Amino acid sequence: MVVVGAGECGTRAAFELREAGWNGPITLVGAEHSRPYERPPLSKYVLTGSEGNVEPPALYEDGALRDAGIEYVAAATVTGVDREGHEAVLADGRRIPYERLLLATGASARRLPVAGIEAGGVHYLRSRADAIVLRDRLRPGARIGVIGAGFIGLEVAAAAAARGCAVTVIEAAPRPMSRAVPAAIATAVADRHRQAGVDLRCGLAMERLTRQDGALLLELGAPREAPGPAVQRLPHRRGWSGPAAEPHTYTVPRPSEALPLAFDTVVAGVGAVPETALAEKAGLAIDNGVRVDDRLITSDPDIFAAGDCCSFPHPLYGGRRIRLEAWRNAQDQGRAVARNMLGDGRPFAAVPWFWSDQFDLTLQIAGLPDAAAREVVRDRPDGVTIRFGLGDDGRLLYAAAVGTGNAVAKDISLAEILIARRAVPDPAPLTDPAVPLKTLLRQAPS
Amino acid sequence: MSTWIAACQTDDIDPEDVIPFQHEGVGYAIYRSPEDDFYATAGHCTHERMLLCDGLVMDNTIECPKHNGRFDYTTGRADGAPVLVDLPTYPVRVEDGTVFIGIG
Ligand SMILES: Cc1cc2nc3c(=O)[nH]c(=O)nc-3n(C[C@H](O)[C@H](O)[C@H](O)COP(=O)(O)OP(=O)(O)OC[C@H]3O[C@@H](n4cnc5c(N)ncnc54)[C@H](O)[C@@H]3O)c2cc1C
Ligand code: FES
């Protein structure tokens, strides 16, 4: 068994292969130099933590690789797959034979499609190495420009503000986290940023980036509503939730009246692109990521794909093909794909779940926020509002909420169970905060 | 030798739920199972040290509110990623409606 990519998904899969009873060799090949680590802290405490508290957690305990008999090949890139000969080919020419191969190649930060980008100095955040460089730039008083108000952009903005930087966020869409979260949640989060002094500007297009006297000058366009002469296709960001969206069309505004903004550092959080190069080269089907079926099998029955790099049909959403960029999904699919590589053959149907931390707020979403026909809300006495999305047939399709600390966790977890059970909850108790959500579970057969 | 500390009354906790308890600066989590048995574990998750008492209890499982790591609170056993390290557990005794936990 050979796993390509030692991120959340690939590493979990390698361990699960052993756990599930595979006795043969397991090789885990990863392009990064460090021991496999958790990515989410990179935009959180890795940026804000004091010295000595900046390492993202490792994905396994000391000695666990040895105990599980997993061979980890670090700092090695798989550049080819010989499907006939059943061999993975490494950049240095090494060949690793496989019976079954897993592509867990993840995603990489989307590059900014803006003129003048070659001026340099634009930071992206995907790896531990990126975070270490960026962390150093977030000095008190530094002028930080964040392009994109998706989850990573907003988490970076919150971290930079916490470090005492002067932070401006530029977003092309009319609101942050568009479509990835219900509008009311986006508003609450935007308010929190503004309250912390973040200059959050939505509906603005970037026009040009130049470098002058050590500063980066960003020229902006007028609000998106303004009629514009040209139509440009820009990838629409989905953060790490929900299906990655179709490219999004918007009008480029007339030449800007606004003065260019000057920054010491520009960070782009404009979405992620699935790492499909290897799969493409191997001739596998691609469809917004490596295309897999509901068992996470690619167009080659001996090659599987899972995590951020793959698109798959989701049985809870009518078989709709989605690609998720979410940590829990990477874990869940890692475990599921390992079992399927050993012939388990069960469809993958876990409820999508993700969270984001910004300042003292945590937002959590279970299910797909853009799947529902209508939304009903539960206003809790503690001020937290849980938003439920219901389908045409009344089925619960998502639940989303934002609150301080861990205030939303229990209700979102209960909703997740209801979603998995395809529950059609009666809206009255759902919206009545006096009725514990747990009582609804009893009415929803598992 | 354990020292027995009175932590709470039995009816302070709903069935299938958890409450926090502090003693000498150390946090604990006290559970009441659906069968009305009582258990105690360390108060913080072994992943990123979040308070477990904000998490969901289902049957014998506590789910961490932060990243959904799961533990069997009757044994402390971690259910796998993201929680890789088991949770310390403490003996519990119930006397006349008071829940005592044994520490030390
Ligand atoms: C800064 C940041 C913050 C995040 N925060 C959250 C959050 O709060 N909540 C949430 O739900 N999700 C979050 N995510 C998303 C989450 O981290 C990802 O969904 C998850 O890491 C996906 O795991 P993966 O294993 O599929 O891909 P990755 O983690 O991207 O791992 C893929 C690995 O494969 C390697 N690789 C790629 N191609 C090759 C090759 N050909 N040969 C060898 N190795 C290769 C890559 O170097 C990489 O190490 C965040 C992501 C980032 C970047
Ligand atoms: S802190 Fe408990 S799972 Fe992460």
Side-chain angles (χ1 to χ4, degrees), chain B residues 45-50 52 64 66-69 71 82-83:
Chain B
C45 181
T46 59
H47 179 231
E48 286 184 4
R49 312 219 46 78
M50 282 293 147
L52 288 169
C64 175
K66 190 76 228 183
H67 315 112
N68 297 0
F71 302 91
V83 290

Side-chain angles (χ1 to χ4, degrees), chain A residues 12 38 41 45 57-61 327-328 331 335 353 355 357 362 364 406 409-410 413-414 416-417 438 441-442, chain B residues 15-18 47-48 50-51 53-59 63-68 70 79-82 84-85:
Chain A
R12 300 303 181 203
E38 293 183 7
Y45 62 77
L59 290 181
Y60 45 79
E61 293 291 292
W327 190 63
R328 242 283 285 290
Q331 265 162 25
R335 271 190 277 233
W353 181 91
W355 94 100
D357 296 331
T362 287
Q364 290 192 355
N406 292 317
K410 261 191 219 177
S413 284
L414 285 162
E416 183 191 325
I417 301 171
K438 228 180 200 177
L441 284 187
R442 288 175 206 128
Chain B
E16 204 177 42
D17 208 352
V18 57
H47 179 231
E48 286 184 4
M50 282 293 147
L51 270 180
C53 58
D54 294 325
L56 177 67
V57 178
M58 291 287 284
D59 299 321
E63 184 182 72
C64 175
K66 190 76 228 183
H67 315 112
N68 297 0
R70 289 184 187 155
D79 185 43
L84 307 173
V85 177

Side-chain angles (χ1 to χ4, degrees), chain A residues 161-243:
Chain A
R163 297 271 309 263
C165 303
V167 186
T168 306
V169 181
I170 307 296
E171 166 60 49
R175 64 173 174 92
M177 303 177 288
S178 27
R179 291 210 292 151
V181 304
I185 291 182
T187 305
V189 172
D191 287 349
R192 183 68 186 84
H193 276 264
R194 294 195 172 113
Q195 186 196 330
V198 172
D199 183 3
L200 173 57
R201 306 186 184 191
C202 295
L204 287 176
M206 298 164 300
E207 295 198 329
R208 219 151 65 92
L209 197 64
T210 50
R211 188 179 269 288
Q212 221 173 70
D213 306 328
L216 285 160
L217 294 185
L218 181 64
E219 288 168 49
L220 294 175
R224 210 181 125 188
E225 286 76 22
V231 171
Q232 181 188 343
R233 287 176 76 76
L234 249 197
H236 185 71
R237 223 171 23 281
R238 287 309 307 267
W240 50 74
S241 91

Side-chain angles (χ1 to χ4, degrees), chain A residues 121-140:
Chain A
V122 175
H123 292 252
Y124 297 90
L125 181 54
R126 181 76 197 179
S127 66
R128 178 179 171 277
D130 296 339
I132 289 169
V133 174
L134 179 59
R135 180 189 156 75
D136 210 41
R137 312 281 310 183
L138 303 184
R139 304 226 173 89

